[in-house]
């Protein structure tokens, strides 16, 4: 089972929220109204978070060298 601390709650453009396990995100890109998170199997999730803020969240989850 995944560690719950690995999940973040992100806002979607329709006003709903989605729980995302950051370690499963392959990459994310800027979009006109936020970011697109890309997962395995060609799955994408659009979120309203600012690209720089999301980059900070992902960076905080990365293990220190």
């Amino acid at each position: 089972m995944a560690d719950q601390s690995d999940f973040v709650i992100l806002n979607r453009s329709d006003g709903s929220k989605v729980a995302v396990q950051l370690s499963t995100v392959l990459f994310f890109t800027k979009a006109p109204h936020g970011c697109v998170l890309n997962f395995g199997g060609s799955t994408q999730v659009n979120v309203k978070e600012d690209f720089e803020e999301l980059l900070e969240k992902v960076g905080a989850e990365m293990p220190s060298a």
Side-chain angles (χ1 to χ4, degrees):
M1 186 168 162
D3 181 11
Q4 289 182 351
S5 64
D6 190 30
F7 286 85
V8 294
I9 305 296
L10 301 175
N11 298 299
R12 299 196 46 165
S13 58
D14 65 359
S16 65
K17 296 184 183 300
V18 61
V20 175
Q21 187 178 13
L22 291 177
S23 63
T24 63
V25 177
L26 297 178
F27 64 95
F28 58 94
T29 58
K30 288 183 182 181
H33 300 289
C35 296
V36 178
L37 283 62
N38 294 272
F39 301 87
S42 300
T43 303
Q44 296 180 328
V45 175
N46 299 318
V47 295
K48 287 176 46 176
E49 266 64 31
D50 177 69
F51 182 82
E52 299 299 326
E53 291 175 9
L54 188 56
L55 190 59
E56 287 179 21
K57 288 181 182 181
V58 171
E61 294 293 322
M62 297 289 290
S64 300

